mmCIF file of all heavy atoms in Angstrom:
data_model
loop_
_atom_site.group_PDB
_atom_site.id
_atom_site.type_symbol
_atom_site.label_atom_id
_atom_site.label_comp_id
_atom_site.label_asym_id
_atom_site.label_seq_id
_atom_site.Cartn_x
_atom_site.Cartn_y
_atom_site.Cartn_z
ATOM 1 N N MET A 1 -4.197 -15.092 -26.625
ATOM 2 C CA MET A 1 -4.146 -14.371 -25.374
ATOM 3 C C MET A 1 -5.074 -15.053 -24.377
ATOM 4 O O MET A 1 -6.185 -15.390 -24.702
ATOM 5 C CB MET A 1 -4.578 -12.935 -25.632
ATOM 6 C CG MET A 1 -4.601 -12.060 -24.431
ATOM 7 S SD MET A 1 -3.156 -11.034 -24.575
ATOM 8 C CE MET A 1 -3.290 -10.058 -23.147
ATOM 9 N N THR A 2 -4.577 -15.245 -23.170
ATOM 10 C CA THR A 2 -5.400 -15.878 -22.150
ATOM 11 C C THR A 2 -5.924 -14.830 -21.189
ATOM 12 O O THR A 2 -5.326 -13.789 -20.994
ATOM 13 C CB THR A 2 -4.588 -16.922 -21.365
ATOM 14 O OG1 THR A 2 -3.486 -16.243 -20.725
ATOM 15 C CG2 THR A 2 -4.057 -18.004 -22.268
ATOM 16 N N THR A 3 -7.032 -15.146 -20.603
ATOM 17 C CA THR A 3 -7.578 -14.277 -19.555
ATOM 18 C C THR A 3 -7.247 -14.865 -18.216
ATOM 19 O O THR A 3 -7.149 -16.094 -18.081
ATOM 20 C CB THR A 3 -9.087 -14.098 -19.694
ATOM 21 O OG1 THR A 3 -9.680 -15.394 -19.611
ATOM 22 C CG2 THR A 3 -9.459 -13.436 -21.001
ATOM 23 N N THR A 4 -7.055 -14.038 -17.218
ATOM 24 C CA THR A 4 -6.681 -14.523 -15.895
ATOM 25 C C THR A 4 -7.574 -13.897 -14.844
ATOM 26 O O THR A 4 -8.245 -12.908 -15.095
ATOM 27 C CB THR A 4 -5.224 -14.167 -15.580
ATOM 28 O OG1 THR A 4 -5.076 -12.756 -15.645
ATOM 29 C CG2 THR A 4 -4.280 -14.811 -16.564
ATOM 30 N N SER A 5 -7.534 -14.476 -13.696
ATOM 31 C CA SER A 5 -8.282 -13.951 -12.565
ATOM 32 C C SER A 5 -7.635 -12.685 -12.051
ATOM 33 O O SER A 5 -6.411 -12.512 -12.130
ATOM 34 C CB SER A 5 -8.310 -14.987 -11.442
ATOM 35 O OG SER A 5 -8.856 -16.186 -11.899
ATOM 36 N N PRO A 6 -8.425 -11.787 -11.472
ATOM 37 C CA PRO A 6 -7.845 -10.576 -10.895
ATOM 38 C C PRO A 6 -7.007 -10.930 -9.654
ATOM 39 O O PRO A 6 -7.240 -11.961 -9.021
ATOM 40 C CB PRO A 6 -9.058 -9.745 -10.537
ATOM 41 C CG PRO A 6 -10.174 -10.708 -10.409
ATOM 42 C CD PRO A 6 -9.859 -11.838 -11.338
ATOM 43 N N ALA A 7 -6.070 -10.095 -9.346
ATOM 44 C CA ALA A 7 -5.225 -10.303 -8.164
ATOM 45 C C ALA A 7 -6.042 -10.163 -6.899
ATOM 46 O O ALA A 7 -6.891 -9.276 -6.781
ATOM 47 C CB ALA A 7 -4.085 -9.303 -8.168
ATOM 48 N N THR A 8 -5.792 -11.037 -5.934
ATOM 49 C CA THR A 8 -6.466 -10.953 -4.650
ATOM 50 C C THR A 8 -5.511 -10.575 -3.536
ATOM 51 O O THR A 8 -5.958 -10.219 -2.453
ATOM 52 C CB THR A 8 -7.153 -12.286 -4.296
ATOM 53 O OG1 THR A 8 -6.165 -13.312 -4.254
ATOM 54 C CG2 THR A 8 -8.196 -12.634 -5.331
ATOM 55 N N ALA A 9 -4.199 -10.670 -3.766
ATOM 56 C CA ALA A 9 -3.181 -10.336 -2.747
ATOM 57 C C ALA A 9 -1.850 -10.076 -3.435
ATOM 58 O O ALA A 9 -1.689 -10.352 -4.633
ATOM 59 C CB ALA A 9 -3.049 -11.462 -1.748
ATOM 60 N N ILE A 10 -0.918 -9.585 -2.666
ATOM 61 C CA ILE A 10 0.443 -9.289 -3.144
ATOM 62 C C ILE A 10 1.413 -10.236 -2.431
ATOM 63 O O ILE A 10 1.241 -10.550 -1.262
ATOM 64 C CB ILE A 10 0.831 -7.829 -2.822
ATOM 65 C CG1 ILE A 10 -0.109 -6.857 -3.509
ATOM 66 C CG2 ILE A 10 2.262 -7.528 -3.164
ATOM 67 C CD1 ILE A 10 0.033 -6.781 -5.002
ATOM 68 N N VAL A 11 2.452 -10.667 -3.147
ATOM 69 C CA VAL A 11 3.534 -11.453 -2.541
ATOM 70 C C VAL A 11 4.724 -10.526 -2.333
ATOM 71 O O VAL A 11 5.117 -9.822 -3.258
ATOM 72 C CB VAL A 11 3.940 -12.654 -3.432
ATOM 73 C CG1 VAL A 11 5.137 -13.367 -2.854
ATOM 74 C CG2 VAL A 11 2.780 -13.600 -3.610
ATOM 75 N N VAL A 12 5.253 -10.515 -1.110
ATOM 76 C CA VAL A 12 6.426 -9.711 -0.807
ATOM 77 C C VAL A 12 7.523 -10.611 -0.231
ATOM 78 O O VAL A 12 7.230 -11.610 0.416
ATOM 79 C CB VAL A 12 6.089 -8.582 0.214
ATOM 80 C CG1 VAL A 12 5.133 -7.583 -0.395
ATOM 81 C CG2 VAL A 12 5.560 -9.122 1.507
ATOM 82 N N ASP A 13 8.771 -10.220 -0.483
ATOM 83 C CA ASP A 13 9.859 -10.988 0.140
ATOM 84 C C ASP A 13 10.032 -10.508 1.569
ATOM 85 O O ASP A 13 9.287 -9.658 2.057
ATOM 86 C CB ASP A 13 11.155 -10.890 -0.686
ATOM 87 C CG ASP A 13 11.801 -9.525 -0.680
ATOM 88 O OD1 ASP A 13 11.356 -8.620 0.066
ATOM 89 O OD2 ASP A 13 12.766 -9.337 -1.442
ATOM 90 N N ASP A 14 11.000 -11.051 2.288
ATOM 91 C CA ASP A 14 11.153 -10.740 3.710
ATOM 92 C C ASP A 14 11.548 -9.287 3.994
ATOM 93 O O ASP A 14 11.337 -8.801 5.096
ATOM 94 C CB ASP A 14 12.158 -11.698 4.353
ATOM 95 C CG ASP A 14 11.598 -13.103 4.413
ATOM 96 O OD1 ASP A 14 10.372 -13.260 4.556
ATOM 97 O OD2 ASP A 14 12.401 -14.054 4.329
ATOM 98 N N SER A 15 12.075 -8.607 3.006
ATOM 99 C CA SER A 15 12.420 -7.184 3.201
ATOM 100 C C SER A 15 11.283 -6.263 2.770
ATOM 101 O O SER A 15 11.406 -5.057 2.865
ATOM 102 C CB SER A 15 13.700 -6.837 2.455
ATOM 103 O OG SER A 15 13.509 -6.988 1.059
ATOM 104 N N GLY A 16 10.172 -6.826 2.283
ATOM 105 C CA GLY A 16 9.020 -6.036 1.914
ATOM 106 C C GLY A 16 8.933 -5.669 0.436
ATOM 107 O O GLY A 16 8.024 -4.952 0.033
ATOM 108 N N VAL A 17 9.859 -6.153 -0.380
ATOM 109 C CA VAL A 17 9.846 -5.874 -1.820
ATOM 110 C C VAL A 17 8.749 -6.687 -2.489
ATOM 111 O O VAL A 17 8.641 -7.885 -2.256
ATOM 112 C CB VAL A 17 11.212 -6.207 -2.465
ATOM 113 C CG1 VAL A 17 11.167 -6.047 -3.972
ATOM 114 C CG2 VAL A 17 12.304 -5.357 -1.852
ATOM 115 N N ARG A 18 7.925 -6.043 -3.274
ATOM 116 C CA ARG A 18 6.827 -6.719 -3.958
ATOM 117 C C ARG A 18 7.362 -7.593 -5.091
ATOM 118 O O ARG A 18 8.108 -7.143 -5.929
ATOM 119 C CB ARG A 18 5.845 -5.713 -4.525
ATOM 120 C CG ARG A 18 5.128 -4.942 -3.465
ATOM 121 C CD ARG A 18 4.202 -3.931 -4.073
ATOM 122 N NE ARG A 18 3.537 -3.182 -3.015
ATOM 123 C CZ ARG A 18 2.655 -2.245 -3.253
ATOM 124 N NH1 ARG A 18 2.323 -1.931 -4.497
ATOM 125 N NH2 ARG A 18 2.092 -1.613 -2.257
ATOM 126 N N LEU A 19 6.952 -8.863 -5.080
ATOM 127 C CA LEU A 19 7.396 -9.820 -6.083
ATOM 128 C C LEU A 19 6.342 -10.113 -7.140
ATOM 129 O O LEU A 19 6.670 -10.450 -8.258
ATOM 130 C CB LEU A 19 7.816 -11.131 -5.432
ATOM 131 C CG LEU A 19 8.942 -11.056 -4.427
ATOM 132 C CD1 LEU A 19 9.138 -12.416 -3.777
ATOM 133 C CD2 LEU A 19 10.216 -10.574 -5.090
ATOM 134 N N GLY A 20 5.082 -10.027 -6.768
ATOM 135 C CA GLY A 20 4.012 -10.343 -7.703
ATOM 136 C C GLY A 20 2.661 -10.395 -7.024
ATOM 137 O O GLY A 20 2.485 -9.865 -5.937
ATOM 138 N N THR A 21 1.724 -11.044 -7.690
ATOM 139 C CA THR A 21 0.354 -11.098 -7.188
ATOM 140 C C THR A 21 -0.099 -12.550 -7.026
ATOM 141 O O THR A 21 0.490 -13.466 -7.590
ATOM 142 C CB THR A 21 -0.612 -10.389 -8.166
ATOM 143 O OG1 THR A 21 -0.540 -11.017 -9.442
ATOM 144 C CG2 THR A 21 -0.266 -8.919 -8.311
ATOM 145 N N VAL A 22 -1.174 -12.717 -6.262
ATOM 146 C CA VAL A 22 -1.789 -14.016 -6.082
ATOM 147 C C VAL A 22 -3.201 -13.935 -6.617
ATOM 148 O O VAL A 22 -3.937 -12.997 -6.333
ATOM 149 C CB VAL A 22 -1.847 -14.389 -4.579
ATOM 150 C CG1 VAL A 22 -2.525 -15.732 -4.383
ATOM 151 C CG2 VAL A 22 -0.455 -14.385 -3.977
ATOM 152 N N ASP A 23 -3.593 -14.926 -7.422
ATOM 153 C CA ASP A 23 -4.956 -14.941 -7.933
ATOM 154 C C ASP A 23 -5.879 -15.696 -6.980
ATOM 155 O O ASP A 23 -5.433 -16.198 -5.941
ATOM 156 C CB ASP A 23 -5.011 -15.470 -9.372
ATOM 157 C CG ASP A 23 -4.698 -16.947 -9.498
ATOM 158 O OD1 ASP A 23 -4.741 -17.688 -8.500
ATOM 159 O OD2 ASP A 23 -4.439 -17.382 -10.615
ATOM 160 N N GLU A 24 -7.140 -15.777 -7.322
ATOM 161 C CA GLU A 24 -8.121 -16.401 -6.429
ATOM 162 C C GLU A 24 -7.910 -17.906 -6.275
ATOM 163 O O GLU A 24 -8.477 -18.527 -5.375
ATOM 164 C CB GLU A 24 -9.532 -16.120 -6.914
ATOM 165 C CG GLU A 24 -9.793 -16.643 -8.319
ATOM 166 C CD GLU A 24 -11.027 -16.061 -8.952
ATOM 167 O OE1 GLU A 24 -11.523 -15.026 -8.510
ATOM 168 O OE2 GLU A 24 -11.478 -16.671 -9.931
ATOM 169 N N ASN A 25 -7.092 -18.503 -7.093
ATOM 170 C CA ASN A 25 -6.786 -19.925 -7.007
ATOM 171 C C ASN A 25 -5.488 -20.205 -6.250
ATOM 172 O O ASN A 25 -5.045 -21.352 -6.192
ATOM 173 C CB ASN A 25 -6.696 -20.544 -8.396
ATOM 174 C CG ASN A 25 -8.004 -20.427 -9.130
ATOM 175 O OD1 ASN A 25 -9.059 -20.704 -8.572
ATOM 176 N ND2 ASN A 25 -7.942 -19.999 -10.376
ATOM 177 N N GLY A 26 -4.843 -19.164 -5.700
ATOM 178 C CA GLY A 26 -3.604 -19.330 -4.954
ATOM 179 C C GLY A 26 -2.368 -19.418 -5.807
ATOM 180 O O GLY A 26 -1.296 -19.777 -5.314
ATOM 181 N N GLN A 27 -2.462 -19.092 -7.096
ATOM 182 C CA GLN A 27 -1.307 -19.129 -7.978
ATOM 183 C C GLN A 27 -0.589 -17.789 -7.952
ATOM 184 O O GLN A 27 -1.228 -16.734 -7.915
ATOM 185 C CB GLN A 27 -1.747 -19.468 -9.405
ATOM 186 C CG GLN A 27 -2.476 -20.786 -9.516
ATOM 187 C CD GLN A 27 -1.641 -21.944 -9.013
ATOM 188 O OE1 GLN A 27 -0.542 -22.188 -9.497
ATOM 189 N NE2 GLN A 27 -2.154 -22.649 -8.010
ATOM 190 N N VAL A 28 0.737 -17.811 -7.955
ATOM 191 C CA VAL A 28 1.549 -16.605 -7.854
ATOM 192 C C VAL A 28 2.056 -16.218 -9.253
ATOM 193 O O VAL A 28 2.581 -17.041 -9.988
ATOM 194 C CB VAL A 28 2.747 -16.841 -6.910
ATOM 195 C CG1 VAL A 28 3.594 -15.574 -6.795
ATOM 196 C CG2 VAL A 28 2.259 -17.242 -5.521
ATOM 197 N N TRP A 29 1.908 -14.948 -9.580
ATOM 198 C CA TRP A 29 2.324 -14.388 -10.872
ATOM 199 C C TRP A 29 3.211 -13.189 -10.624
ATOM 200 O O TRP A 29 2.943 -12.375 -9.738
ATOM 201 C CB TRP A 29 1.094 -13.909 -11.661
ATOM 202 C CG TRP A 29 0.082 -14.993 -11.873
ATOM 203 C CD1 TRP A 29 -0.923 -15.367 -11.000
ATOM 204 C CD2 TRP A 29 -0.033 -15.850 -12.995
ATOM 205 N NE1 TRP A 29 -1.641 -16.399 -11.543
ATOM 206 C CE2 TRP A 29 -1.118 -16.725 -12.760
ATOM 207 C CE3 TRP A 29 0.668 -15.973 -14.180
ATOM 208 C CZ2 TRP A 29 -1.515 -17.692 -13.669
ATOM 209 C CZ3 TRP A 29 0.273 -16.924 -15.084
ATOM 210 C CH2 TRP A 29 -0.801 -17.778 -14.829
ATOM 211 N N ASP A 30 4.326 -13.061 -11.385
ATOM 212 C CA ASP A 30 5.124 -11.842 -11.247
ATOM 213 C C ASP A 30 4.425 -10.710 -12.031
ATOM 214 O O ASP A 30 3.387 -10.922 -12.622
ATOM 215 C CB ASP A 30 6.574 -12.064 -11.685
ATOM 216 C CG ASP A 30 6.773 -12.229 -13.172
ATOM 217 O OD1 ASP A 30 5.808 -12.077 -13.949
ATOM 218 O OD2 ASP A 30 7.915 -12.520 -13.561
ATOM 219 N N PHE A 31 4.999 -9.534 -11.966
ATOM 220 C CA PHE A 31 4.336 -8.367 -12.571
ATOM 221 C C PHE A 31 4.405 -8.366 -14.100
ATOM 222 O O PHE A 31 3.709 -7.581 -14.736
ATOM 223 C CB PHE A 31 4.860 -7.079 -11.968
ATOM 224 C CG PHE A 31 4.455 -6.930 -10.508
ATOM 225 C CD1 PHE A 31 5.397 -7.046 -9.507
ATOM 226 C CD2 PHE A 31 3.129 -6.735 -10.180
ATOM 227 C CE1 PHE A 31 5.019 -6.917 -8.174
ATOM 228 C CE2 PHE A 31 2.747 -6.633 -8.853
ATOM 229 C CZ PHE A 31 3.704 -6.720 -7.847
ATOM 230 N N ALA A 32 5.213 -9.243 -14.684
ATOM 231 C CA ALA A 32 5.210 -9.428 -16.142
ATOM 232 C C ALA A 32 4.217 -10.512 -16.533
ATOM 233 O O ALA A 32 4.149 -10.914 -17.666
ATOM 234 C CB ALA A 32 6.599 -9.773 -16.637
ATOM 235 N N HIS A 33 3.472 -10.980 -15.571
ATOM 236 C CA HIS A 33 2.443 -12.016 -15.681
ATOM 237 C C HIS A 33 3.022 -13.370 -16.082
ATOM 238 O O HIS A 33 2.461 -14.108 -16.873
ATOM 239 C CB HIS A 33 1.326 -11.605 -16.628
ATOM 240 C CG HIS A 33 0.077 -12.387 -16.368
ATOM 241 N ND1 HIS A 33 -0.638 -12.252 -15.214
ATOM 242 C CD2 HIS A 33 -0.509 -13.366 -17.062
ATOM 243 C CE1 HIS A 33 -1.643 -13.102 -15.249
ATOM 244 N NE2 HIS A 33 -1.584 -13.801 -16.353
ATOM 245 N N VAL A 34 4.158 -13.691 -15.455
ATOM 246 C CA VAL A 34 4.750 -15.014 -15.595
ATOM 247 C C VAL A 34 4.373 -15.816 -14.349
ATOM 248 O O VAL A 34 4.538 -15.323 -13.221
ATOM 249 C CB VAL A 34 6.291 -14.918 -15.728
ATOM 250 C CG1 VAL A 34 6.911 -16.291 -15.746
ATOM 251 C CG2 VAL A 34 6.658 -14.131 -16.976
ATOM 252 N N HIS A 35 3.881 -17.006 -14.541
ATOM 253 C CA HIS A 35 3.485 -17.877 -13.436
ATOM 254 C C HIS A 35 4.732 -18.366 -12.721
ATOM 255 O O HIS A 35 5.533 -19.103 -13.286
ATOM 256 C CB HIS A 35 2.682 -19.051 -14.021
ATOM 257 C CG HIS A 35 1.996 -19.879 -13.000
ATOM 258 N ND1 HIS A 35 1.754 -21.207 -13.212
ATOM 259 C CD2 HIS A 35 1.487 -19.608 -11.771
ATOM 260 C CE1 HIS A 35 1.121 -21.716 -12.147
ATOM 261 N NE2 HIS A 35 0.948 -20.751 -11.267
ATOM 262 N N ILE A 36 4.920 -17.953 -11.454
ATOM 263 C CA ILE A 36 6.172 -18.281 -10.762
ATOM 264 C C ILE A 36 6.003 -19.201 -9.563
ATOM 265 O O ILE A 36 6.984 -19.610 -8.967
ATOM 266 C CB ILE A 36 6.913 -16.999 -10.330
ATOM 267 C CG1 ILE A 36 6.065 -16.152 -9.385
ATOM 268 C CG2 ILE A 36 7.370 -16.209 -11.532
ATOM 269 C CD1 ILE A 36 6.805 -14.967 -8.787
ATOM 270 N N GLY A 37 4.783 -19.542 -9.183
ATOM 271 C CA GLY A 37 4.622 -20.433 -8.034
ATOM 272 C C GLY A 37 3.220 -20.506 -7.516
ATOM 273 O O GLY A 37 2.249 -20.198 -8.221
ATOM 274 N N THR A 38 3.136 -20.916 -6.248
ATOM 275 C CA THR A 38 1.843 -21.097 -5.600
ATOM 276 C C THR A 38 1.953 -20.692 -4.133
ATOM 277 O O THR A 38 3.039 -20.393 -3.650
ATOM 278 C CB THR A 38 1.391 -22.561 -5.757
ATOM 279 O OG1 THR A 38 0.041 -22.670 -5.307
ATOM 280 C CG2 THR A 38 2.263 -23.516 -4.998
ATOM 281 N N THR A 39 0.831 -20.729 -3.442
ATOM 282 C CA THR A 39 0.804 -20.366 -2.026
ATOM 283 C C THR A 39 0.608 -21.616 -1.181
ATOM 284 O O THR A 39 0.129 -22.640 -1.636
ATOM 285 C CB THR A 39 -0.313 -19.364 -1.713
ATOM 286 O OG1 THR A 39 -1.554 -19.915 -2.132
ATOM 287 C CG2 THR A 39 -0.087 -18.055 -2.434
ATOM 288 N N ARG A 40 0.999 -21.497 0.083
ATOM 289 C CA ARG A 40 0.799 -22.583 1.053
ATOM 290 C C ARG A 40 -0.183 -22.093 2.114
ATOM 291 O O ARG A 40 -0.437 -20.902 2.265
ATOM 292 C CB ARG A 40 2.112 -22.957 1.700
ATOM 293 C CG ARG A 40 3.054 -23.651 0.747
ATOM 294 C CD ARG A 40 4.204 -24.248 1.505
ATOM 295 N NE ARG A 40 5.001 -25.079 0.605
ATOM 296 C CZ ARG A 40 6.215 -25.462 0.887
ATOM 297 N NH1 ARG A 40 6.793 -25.107 2.010
ATOM 298 N NH2 ARG A 40 6.864 -26.223 0.027
ATOM 299 N N GLU A 41 -0.700 -23.033 2.899
ATOM 300 C CA GLU A 41 -1.674 -22.701 3.932
ATOM 301 C C GLU A 41 -1.106 -21.793 5.015
ATOM 302 O O GLU A 41 -1.842 -21.075 5.690
ATOM 303 C CB GLU A 41 -2.231 -23.979 4.557
ATOM 304 C CG GLU A 41 -3.129 -24.746 3.609
ATOM 305 C CD GLU A 41 -3.702 -25.979 4.250
ATOM 306 O OE1 GLU A 41 -3.634 -26.129 5.484
ATOM 307 O OE2 GLU A 41 -4.232 -26.823 3.513
ATOM 308 N N ASP A 42 0.215 -21.798 5.211
ATOM 309 C CA ASP A 42 0.831 -20.966 6.267
ATOM 310 C C ASP A 42 1.038 -19.521 5.811
ATOM 311 O O ASP A 42 1.590 -18.720 6.548
ATOM 312 C CB ASP A 42 2.164 -21.570 6.712
ATOM 313 C CG ASP A 42 3.235 -21.575 5.629
ATOM 314 O OD1 ASP A 42 2.952 -21.162 4.486
ATOM 315 O OD2 ASP A 42 4.349 -22.013 5.931
ATOM 316 N N GLY A 43 0.568 -19.167 4.609
ATOM 317 C CA GLY A 43 0.694 -17.797 4.124
ATOM 318 C C GLY A 43 1.957 -17.501 3.367
ATOM 319 O O GLY A 43 2.228 -16.354 3.005
ATOM 320 N N SER A 44 2.762 -18.519 3.101
ATOM 321 C CA SER A 44 3.979 -18.299 2.334
ATOM 322 C C SER A 44 3.724 -18.582 0.857
ATOM 323 O O SER A 44 2.775 -19.262 0.492
ATOM 324 C CB SER A 44 5.116 -19.189 2.850
ATOM 325 O OG SER A 44 4.797 -20.558 2.672
ATOM 326 N N ALA A 45 4.594 -18.018 0.030
ATOM 327 C CA ALA A 45 4.554 -18.272 -1.413
ATOM 328 C C ALA A 45 5.823 -19.021 -1.765
ATOM 329 O O ALA A 45 6.914 -18.694 -1.287
ATOM 330 C CB ALA A 45 4.487 -16.957 -2.185
ATOM 331 N N VAL A 46 5.669 -20.059 -2.605
ATOM 332 C CA VAL A 46 6.808 -20.899 -2.972
ATOM 333 C C VAL A 46 6.869 -21.040 -4.480
ATOM 334 O O VAL A 46 5.859 -20.931 -5.174
ATOM 335 C CB VAL A 46 6.740 -22.288 -2.313
ATOM 336 C CG1 VAL A 46 6.837 -22.191 -0.817
ATOM 337 C CG2 VAL A 46 5.473 -23.042 -2.698
ATOM 338 N N ASP A 47 8.101 -21.294 -4.987
ATOM 339 C CA ASP A 47 8.226 -21.570 -6.418
ATOM 340 C C ASP A 47 7.898 -23.025 -6.673
ATOM 341 O O ASP A 47 7.503 -23.758 -5.768
ATOM 342 C CB ASP A 47 9.600 -21.161 -6.949
ATOM 343 C CG ASP A 47 10.746 -22.015 -6.453
ATOM 344 O OD1 ASP A 47 10.498 -23.058 -5.797
ATOM 345 O OD2 ASP A 47 11.902 -21.671 -6.725
ATOM 346 N N PHE A 48 8.075 -23.479 -7.907
ATOM 347 C CA PHE A 48 7.664 -24.833 -8.279
ATOM 348 C C PHE A 48 8.523 -25.941 -7.660
ATOM 349 O O PHE A 48 8.096 -27.080 -7.621
ATOM 350 C CB PHE A 48 7.619 -24.957 -9.801
ATOM 351 C CG PHE A 48 6.621 -24.038 -10.403
ATOM 352 C CD1 PHE A 48 7.050 -22.954 -11.180
ATOM 353 C CD2 PHE A 48 5.276 -24.180 -10.161
ATOM 354 C CE1 PHE A 48 6.112 -22.097 -11.727
ATOM 355 C CE2 PHE A 48 4.339 -23.324 -10.695
ATOM 356 C CZ PHE A 48 4.770 -22.269 -11.479
ATOM 357 N N SER A 49 9.704 -25.604 -7.177
ATOM 358 C CA SER A 49 10.526 -26.610 -6.520
ATOM 359 C C SER A 49 10.384 -26.551 -4.987
ATOM 360 O O SER A 49 11.070 -27.254 -4.277
ATOM 361 C CB SER A 49 12.003 -26.460 -6.916
ATOM 362 O OG SER A 49 12.474 -25.195 -6.538
ATOM 363 N N GLY A 50 9.476 -25.695 -4.507
ATOM 364 C CA GLY A 50 9.214 -25.601 -3.081
ATOM 365 C C GLY A 50 10.048 -24.581 -2.348
ATOM 366 O O GLY A 50 9.964 -24.480 -1.112
ATOM 367 N N VAL A 51 10.863 -23.820 -3.049
ATOM 368 C CA VAL A 51 11.707 -22.792 -2.418
ATOM 369 C C VAL A 51 10.827 -21.584 -2.074
ATOM 370 O O VAL A 51 10.068 -21.083 -2.908
ATOM 371 C CB VAL A 51 12.855 -22.366 -3.357
ATOM 372 C CG1 VAL A 51 13.640 -21.226 -2.758
ATOM 373 C CG2 VAL A 51 13.737 -23.544 -3.664
ATOM 374 N N ARG A 52 10.938 -21.135 -0.835
ATOM 375 C CA ARG A 52 10.114 -20.013 -0.357
ATOM 376 C C ARG A 52 10.489 -18.716 -1.061
ATOM 377 O O ARG A 52 11.648 -18.335 -1.146
ATOM 378 C CB ARG A 52 10.316 -19.841 1.146
ATOM 379 C CG ARG A 52 9.413 -18.817 1.784
ATOM 380 C CD ARG A 52 9.623 -18.785 3.296
ATOM 381 N NE ARG A 52 8.738 -17.889 3.948
ATOM 382 C CZ ARG A 52 8.915 -16.565 4.058
ATOM 383 N NH1 ARG A 52 10.015 -16.027 3.533
ATOM 384 N NH2 ARG A 52 8.048 -15.794 4.654
ATOM 385 N N LEU A 53 9.475 -18.044 -1.613
ATOM 386 C CA LEU A 53 9.671 -16.761 -2.271
ATOM 387 C C LEU A 53 9.444 -15.603 -1.306
ATOM 388 O O LEU A 53 10.124 -14.585 -1.359
ATOM 389 C CB LEU A 53 8.719 -16.599 -3.445
ATOM 390 C CG LEU A 53 8.863 -17.596 -4.594
ATOM 391 C CD1 LEU A 53 7.694 -17.475 -5.545
ATOM 392 C CD2 LEU A 53 10.165 -17.383 -5.301
ATOM 393 N N GLY A 54 8.458 -15.739 -0.458
ATOM 394 C CA GLY A 54 8.110 -14.689 0.464
ATOM 395 C C GLY A 54 6.772 -14.986 1.122
ATOM 396 O O GLY A 54 6.365 -16.146 1.239
ATOM 397 N N ARG A 55 6.065 -13.940 1.518
ATOM 398 C CA ARG A 55 4.800 -14.114 2.202
ATOM 399 C C ARG A 55 3.680 -13.387 1.436
ATOM 400 O O ARG A 55 3.940 -12.435 0.719
ATOM 401 C CB ARG A 55 4.868 -13.623 3.629
ATOM 402 C CG ARG A 55 5.079 -12.128 3.774
ATOM 403 C CD ARG A 55 5.298 -11.716 5.202
ATOM 404 N NE ARG A 55 5.359 -10.280 5.370
ATOM 405 C CZ ARG A 55 6.400 -9.530 5.121
ATOM 406 N NH1 ARG A 55 7.497 -10.094 4.658
ATOM 407 N NH2 ARG A 55 6.369 -8.236 5.298
ATOM 408 N N VAL A 56 2.465 -13.855 1.656
ATOM 409 C CA VAL A 56 1.303 -13.252 1.007
ATOM 410 C C VAL A 56 0.793 -12.148 1.918
ATOM 411 O O VAL A 56 0.615 -12.331 3.123
ATOM 412 C CB VAL A 56 0.197 -14.303 0.784
ATOM 413 C CG1 VAL A 56 -1.043 -13.665 0.193
ATOM 414 C CG2 VAL A 56 0.708 -15.430 -0.104
ATOM 415 N N ARG A 57 0.571 -10.985 1.305
ATOM 416 C CA ARG A 57 0.055 -9.827 2.052
ATOM 417 C C ARG A 57 -1.193 -9.326 1.318
ATOM 418 O O ARG A 57 -1.142 -9.058 0.129
ATOM 419 C CB ARG A 57 1.105 -8.727 2.102
ATOM 420 C CG ARG A 57 0.725 -7.575 3.001
ATOM 421 C CD ARG A 57 1.856 -6.610 3.078
ATOM 422 N NE ARG A 57 1.887 -5.863 1.810
ATOM 423 C CZ ARG A 57 2.765 -4.922 1.527
ATOM 424 N NH1 ARG A 57 3.726 -4.646 2.356
ATOM 425 N NH2 ARG A 57 2.705 -4.272 0.377
ATOM 426 N N SER A 58 -2.301 -9.233 2.046
ATOM 427 C CA SER A 58 -3.539 -8.790 1.396
ATOM 428 C C SER A 58 -3.658 -7.278 1.368
ATOM 429 O O SER A 58 -2.866 -6.560 1.824
ATOM 430 C CB SER A 58 -4.741 -9.371 2.091
ATOM 431 O OG SER A 58 -4.702 -9.165 3.458
#
């Protein structure tokens, strides 16, 4: 079992549906704690191929 950082923000899609959390390192995790992407400086969240998932909301 691994330990992870606490969530610092929520990722939502464009309609406001919550997709997951962002840790203090900018990594995006879904609510089943699967690593699904990262954040960008413009406040967007993207998957590993660069496809936009949504926006970061604190």
Side-chain angles (χ1 to χ4, degrees):
M1 180 104 179
T2 61
T3 59
T4 59
S5 302
T8 60
I10 299 290
V11 175
V12 295
D13 70 7
D14 291 329
S15 64
V17 175
R18 294 178 181 181
L19 300 175
T21 59
V22 179
D23 68 17
E24 60 196 18
N25 298 315
Q27 301 302 302
V28 180
W29 303 85
D30 72 6
F31 292 110
H33 201 68
V34 175
H35 191 209
I36 60 173
T38 189
T39 56
R40 290 191 172 163
E41 290 181 14
D42 65 357
S44 64
V46 295
D47 69 8
F48 298 112
S49 61
V51 175
R52 186 177 184 277
L53 297 170
R55 66 186 186 281
V56 176
R57 188 175 75 180
S58 51

